[in-house]
Amino acid sequence: EDDVLQAIAAARQRYNLDPDRVYLTGGSMGGTGAWHFAARHPELFAAVATVCGHLEYAYDSEREFGDSTEPQWPRSFWQSGSPYFLAADLLNVPVYCHHGKEDTIVPVFQSQAMVRKLRELKYPVDYEEHSNVGHSGFPDTLDEDLRRWLLKQKRDPCPKRAVVRTNTLEQNQCHWLRIDRLEQMYRFGQVQAEAGVGEINAFAWSVREFTILVPEWLCKPGAPLRVSVMRKPAWEGAVPRSGELTFRRQGDGDEAA
C-alpha cells in the first residue's frame, strides 16, 4: 500500500499530472489490489476498473458475505480491510467491473457481491459478466474498452457528499470527514454528510467522536456555518481558523468540542 502511494507521489512530482484524472485498474491479483486500494483511498481516484478481482479470501464457496462462524476478533480483523465492508467509502468513485462466468480461480460471486452492494447503495457501477470466459480469455477489446471508460471519468475535487466508514482508526478519513473515536473498536462506525450553502447535515452511527474538516470551497475561516447531526442542530457560528469542527457524542446527542 505504501509503495503505491509513493509511486503516485513520485509520478506527480515528475510529470504534469491532472490530479482529477488518476485512475486505478487491474486484473486478477491486480483487480484484487484495485478493489482494496480504492476502498481505502477513494479520495485519490477519479474511477476504478477491476477485472476478476478477489474481495474476500475468507470465503471459498458462495454464501452471503459477512456470514461467518469465526470469533469476533479474527472476523473483525479481516473485515477491517475488506472492500465489501468499506464499500460505502466509494460514494464518489465510479466503478467498472468485469468477470468471467466460468472463472474457477476467483469465483464470479466475488464481483457479484460487490456490485450488488454498490447498487444497494445507489452508487455508480457498471458490470459486465462474460459468458464462456474463465479467469482469462476476455475479448481482445477489453483493454481499450476499459481505457475509454476510464477517460470519461473525472474526479470531483470538491464533493458535496462524503462518507467515511471504518472499524479501526488506521484509515479513518475520507475527503472532509474523519472518525476520531468509535463506540467500540473493531465494530464498524460510519459518518456521512452533505454540504449546502452555509450548512452541513451529518449523520453518524456507532461513532463516539468525529471531525468535519470544513472545506474552504464551502466556507472560509470566519464565515458563518450551521451544522446538524442526526437532523438535530449541533453547532452554529463562524468557522474556526483551523477549519476543524469536532463533535462528541454526549448521551443521546452530539455537541461540538
Side-chain angles (χ1 to χ4, degrees):
E1 183 173 333
D2 288 342
D3 290 343
V4 176
L5 290 172
Q6 290 173 14
I8 293 173
R12 283 178 169 168
Q13 286 183 344
R14 185 168 183 178
Y15 302 102
N16 183 25
L17 297 185
D18 183 347
D20 298 328
R21 292 187 180 277
V22 177
Y23 306 106
L24 184 61
T25 186
S28 188
M29 188 175 291
T32 301
W35 277 131
H36 285 253
F37 204 83
R40 288 174 62 82
H41 300 277
E43 70 283 353
L44 294 178
F45 303 105
V48 57
T50 69
V51 180
C52 55
H54 222 302
L55 287 179
E56 299 294 350
Y57 290 106
Y59 297 100
D60 56 9
S61 62
E62 184 169 3
R63 55 175 168 161
E64 193 65 30
F65 280 70
D67 175 23
S68 174
T69 58
E70 293 181 351
Q72 178 65 32
W73 158 243
R75 184 167 73 250
S76 298
F77 177 76
W78 59 255
Q79 285 180 352
S80 66
S82 163
Y84 181 82
F85 290 95
L86 298 175
D89 287 356
L90 293 171
L91 169 64
N92 296 297
V93 184
V95 170
Y96 193 16
C97 177
H98 288 254
H99 214 116
K101 283 187 177 181
E102 311 305 323
D103 195 331
T104 58
I105 296 176
V106 179
V108 68
F109 73 81
Q110 294 276 336
S111 288
Q112 290 172 343
M114 189 64 170
V115 170
R116 184 166 59 248
K117 171 64 74 174
L118 293 170
R119 286 176 175 169
E120 287 173 359
L121 293 167
K122 301 188 186 307
Y123 286 4
V125 54
D126 292 324
Y127 179 53
E128 291 193 32
E129 204 167 279
H130 299 260
S131 299
N132 302 315
V133 171
H135 198 62
S136 60
F138 288 90
D140 294 339
T141 58
L142 179 58
D143 286 348
E144 180 63 19
D145 291 343
L146 293 176
R147 188 186 71 83
R148 288 181 179 177
W149 181 87
L150 286 168
L151 291 177
K152 291 178 182 178
Q153 316 304 321
K154 187 174 182 180
R155 185 187 68 152
D156 181 359
C158 307
K160 293 184 178 179
R161 297 171 61 212
V163 177
V164 58
R165 175 178 169 84
T166 185
N167 69 347
T168 73
L169 297 181
E170 178 187 359
Q171 192 67 33
N172 63 332
Q173 181 176 329
C174 187
H175 294 295
W176 41 274
L177 293 177
R178 184 181 73 217
I179 293 177
D180 301 311
R181 203 167 121 204
L182 295 163
E183 278 193 354
Q184 182 178 329
M185 191 64 75
Y186 300 113
R187 175 182 294 172
F188 278 97
Q190 181 170 319
V191 177
Q192 64 186 53
E194 185 168 359
V197 179
E199 66 177 7
I200 294 176
N201 300 305
F203 295 84
W205 297 273
S206 299
V207 169
R208 231 24 192 162
E209 181 178 312
F210 71 93
T211 296
I212 297 175
L213 306 149
V214 182
E216 287 202 11
W217 52 259
L218 173 65
C219 277
K220 295 184 180 298
L225 180 68
R226 294 189 310 274
V227 179
S228 69
V229 179
M230 306 303 284
R231 296 193 175 92
K232 296 179 180 179
W235 187 87
E236 184 171 359
V239 177
R241 185 173 298 178
S242 67
E244 297 190 7
L245 292 172
T246 298
F247 296 85
R248 297 191 182 104
R249 186 172 179 183
Q250 304 290 342
D252 294 330
D254 293 85
E255 62 179 34

